[in-house]
């Protein structure tokens, strides 16, 4: 027994070493065997996360494409993204103002919205439906004319403006009328009344006026190149307001009128009543408010009176104008590219746009020896109002020097 005990004690360290070595070797194997199932879980989670990311990205792209399709033609809103073909058409329209060039620009504008719809459709109907449920796209904001259904009214010239009115300035003969009594927001056409009051007030045109924080647009939050602190003469402010539709310049003209802005707005409405503009109401001098409203007939009256003021004719039809602002010289251009066209003899014009009003245009122009006053309101596209003016010009030119009453009667709404 003593010998056996001695043998066991002698071998005990070796036995313990073998047992310990077995445990060490067995532990990694057990860990590996147990970890196989645990490793599968992170891989599956990563795959699911990756798939979810792809799906989210696809949905985001569809939503972006859908939004892009909704806003097909852009806002100031008048700076849409253009492709090469469209830019070429716009450049041609600005240089010559021809019917063909403007028609191409108008078609390119319509086509730009269709491309976004194609891309959205390519993303897949199921993905589009899922994206619509996850993030519904807000509908495009309609103009007052669209909400009233005025675009459903047709006319022989297929005009894109829901309201149109063309009269002979000398004889007052109505050549064209389409929804001419509809009362709608008039956007920057408001500035015609603003300029008329300043011109008739015979205020010192060399008096310096400074843009203040009060002139900053808080209605539509539009931008302006005239920073707060910019000082220009009243003449320069009026020039920019009529030619480039500068909102801060127009507001500054009203603010610095004798008696202040409230008195100026009151005079705007008083002048409208004096001229027989029964459907017209003004609340501010820029046109940014949709509460500034009028009818095509009223606006034709205003254009006729404004055309009698030399400053209104000169400032509204100049192609471009430079002003010195501190050490900088700023170049402003006319918002109506037709003034640069050799095909047009424009005596007075004004454009306008806010979403509630659509694209607007009024002009006094000589066509085939006749002095015409044209009013186009609530045009659906940026170039459509110009194309409508071209359609009317070519139609009148086709009549000859004297329009037949029978022919004119066919186009009256």
């Amino acid at each position: 027994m003593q010998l056996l005990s001695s043998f066991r004690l002698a071998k005990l360290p070796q036995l313990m070493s073998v047992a310990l070595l077995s445990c060490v070797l067995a532990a990694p194997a057990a860990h590996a065997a147990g970890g196989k199932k645990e490793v599968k879980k992170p891989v599956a989670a990563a795959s699911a996360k990756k798939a979810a990311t792809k799906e989210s990205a696809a949905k985001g792209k569809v939503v972006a494409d859908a939004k892009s399709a909704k806003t097909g033609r852009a806002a100031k809103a008048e700076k849409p993204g253009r492709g090469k073909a469209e830019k070429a058409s716009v450049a041609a329209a600005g240089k010559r103002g021809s019917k063909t060039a403007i028609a191409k620009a108008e078609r390119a504008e319509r086509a730009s919205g269709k491309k976004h719809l194609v891309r959205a459709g390519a993303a897949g109907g199921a993905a589009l439906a899922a994206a619509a449920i996850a993030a519904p796209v807000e509908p495009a904001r309609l103009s007052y004319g669209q909400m009233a259904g005025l675009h459903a009214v047709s006319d022989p010239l297929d005009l894109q403006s829901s309201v149109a009115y063309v009269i002979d300035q000398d004889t007052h003969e109505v050549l064209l009328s389409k929804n001419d009594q509809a009362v709608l927001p008039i956007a920057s056409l408001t500035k015609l009344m603003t300029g008329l009051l300043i011109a008739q007030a015979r205020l010192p045109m060399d008096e310096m006026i400074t843009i203040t924080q009060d002139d900053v647009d808080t209605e539509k939050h539009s931008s302006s190149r005239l920073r707060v602190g910019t000082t220009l003469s009243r003449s320069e402010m009026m020039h920019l307001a009529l030619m480039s539709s500068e909102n801060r310049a127009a507001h500054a003209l009203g603010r610095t009128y004798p008696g202040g802005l409230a008195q100026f707005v009151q005079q705007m409405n008083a002048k409208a009543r004096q001229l027989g503009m029964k459907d017209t109401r003004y609340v501010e001098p820029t046109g940014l408010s949709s509460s500034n409203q009028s009818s095509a007939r009223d606006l034709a009256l205003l254009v006729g009176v404004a055309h009698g003021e030399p400053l209104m004719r000169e400032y509204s039809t100049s192609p471009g104008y430079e002003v010195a602002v501190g050490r900088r010289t700023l170049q402003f251009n006319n918002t109506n590219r037709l003034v640069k066209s050799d095909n047009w003899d424009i005596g007075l014009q004004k454009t306008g746009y806010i979403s509630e009003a659509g694209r607007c245009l009024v002009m006094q122009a000589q066509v085939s020896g006749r002095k015409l006053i044209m009013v186009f309101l609530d045009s659906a596209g940026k170039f459509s109002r110009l194309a409508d003016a071209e359609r009317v010009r070519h139609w009148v030119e086709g009549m000859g020097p004297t329009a037949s009453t029978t022919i004119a009667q066919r186009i009256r709404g």
Side-chain angles (χ1 to χ4, degrees):
M1 290 294 293
Q2 290 182 345
L3 291 174
L4 182 58
S5 299
S6 299
F7 175 79
R8 288 177 177 175
L9 290 174
K11 296 293 183 179
L12 183 60
Q14 294 180 2
L15 293 173
M16 291 181 66
S17 298
V18 171
L20 181 60
L21 181 60
S22 299
C23 292
V24 170
L25 293 174
H31 177 73
K36 286 181 181 179
K37 294 183 180 180
E38 295 178 359
V39 169
K40 289 182 181 179
K41 291 183 180 179
V43 170
S47 300
K49 184 176 181 182
K50 185 175 181 181
T53 302
K54 288 183 178 180
E55 182 180 2
S56 177
K59 289 181 180 179
K61 183 177 185 302
V62 173
V63 171
D65 286 339
K67 288 183 178 179
S68 184
K70 178 200 71 173
T71 57
R73 314 178 200 107
K76 55 182 214 184
E78 298 193 21
K79 297 181 180 179
R82 302 178 184 140
K84 293 182 179 179
E86 185 180 358
K87 287 181 179 178
S89 298
V90 173
K95 185 177 181 180
R96 304 194 316 275
S98 67
K99 179 181 179 181
T100 302
I102 291 179
K104 287 182 179 179
E106 186 184 20
R107 288 195 297 270
E109 180 183 39
R110 292 178 180 179
S112 64
K114 294 180 181 179
K115 293 179 181 178
H116 295 295
L117 291 174
V118 171
R119 285 201 298 268
L128 182 60
I133 295 173
V137 178
E138 295 182 1
R141 190 171 186 179
L142 300 177
S143 68
Y144 282 28
Q146 289 172 323
M147 289 188 288
L150 298 183
H151 282 273
V153 177
S154 60
D155 62 83
L157 295 186
D158 193 26
L159 301 177
Q160 297 303 303
S161 302
S162 72
V163 173
Y165 191 60
V166 180
I167 64 171
D168 186 302
Q169 188 177 10
D170 294 328
T171 66
H172 303 290
E173 179 184 4
V174 178
L175 302 182
L176 182 153
S177 66
K178 177 183 178 182
N179 296 322
D180 59 281
Q181 296 186 33
V183 179
L184 299 173
I186 57 175
S188 285
L189 301 186
T190 297
K191 295 183 177 71
L192 279 182
M193 180 61 82
T194 300
L196 180 63
L197 285 184
I198 297 299
Q200 294 186 341
R202 304 295 185 253
L203 300 172
M205 298 304 287
D206 58 351
E207 180 180 347
M208 304 306 288
I209 297 176
T210 300
I211 299 295
T212 69
Q213 190 63 37
D214 291 337
D215 302 318
V216 176
D217 171 26
T218 57
E219 180 84 19
K220 297 289 190 294
H221 304 286
S222 59
S223 61
S224 172
R225 297 170 68 194
L226 299 183
R227 301 172 182 171
V228 173
T230 299
T231 300
L232 299 173
S233 67
R234 179 175 279 110
S235 174
E236 291 173 316
M237 292 287 190
M238 182 173 169
H239 200 150
L240 296 181
L242 292 174
M243 183 194 76
S244 293
S245 209
E246 233 303 333
N247 291 313
R248 292 184 184 179
H251 193 275
L253 289 172
R255 177 176 53 80
T256 58
Y257 187 83
L261 184 61
Q263 177 64 23
F264 186 76
V265 174
Q266 183 177 338
Q267 289 300 312
M268 293 175 75
N269 288 294
K271 174 61 70 173
R273 290 192 296 271
Q274 179 187 339
L275 297 179
M277 301 170 65
K278 300 178 181 179
D279 299 322
T280 302
R281 174 175 177 256
Y282 298 104
V283 299
E284 50 84 30
T286 68
L288 288 167
S289 172
S290 59
S291 295
N292 285 0
Q293 299 184 2
S294 187
S295 65
R297 290 191 175 191
D298 279 8
L299 290 170
L301 289 173
L302 178 59
V303 170
V305 174
H307 182 258
E309 292 291 335
L311 282 181
M312 297 291 290
R313 296 196 301 269
E314 177 187 351
Y315 290 169
S316 71
T317 60
S318 62
Y321 187 58
E322 289 185 351
V323 294
V325 179
R327 297 181 179 179
R328 300 179 301 152
T329 299
L330 300 180
Q331 172 68 43
F332 290 83
N333 296 309
N334 203 306
T335 54
N336 183 354
R337 65 187 71 253
L338 295 182
V339 300
K340 300 178 181 179
S341 171
D342 295 334
N343 298 324
W344 283 91
D345 181 7
I346 300 174
L348 180 137
Q349 70 78 38
K350 187 70 194 75
T351 64
Y353 171 74
I354 55 175
S355 59
E356 297 93 329
R359 308 283 176 174
C360 305
L361 171 66
V362 296
M363 292 197 301
Q364 188 280 351
Q366 289 203 42
V367 179
S368 292
R370 307 185 67 174
K371 296 178 182 178
L372 302 181
I373 292 177
M374 305 181 182
V375 179
F376 303 100
L377 304 180
D378 187 34
S379 183
K382 183 176 181 180
F383 302 104
S384 296
R385 55 188 170 183
L386 305 183
D388 283 351
E390 290 284 5
R391 292 182 184 101
V392 170
R393 179 174 69 84
H394 281 266
W395 173 71
V396 174
E397 287 175 343
M399 290 182 182
T402 57
S404 165
T405 303
T406 304
I407 296 177
Q409 184 65 35
R410 286 195 292 111
I411 199 168
R412 294 178 189 172

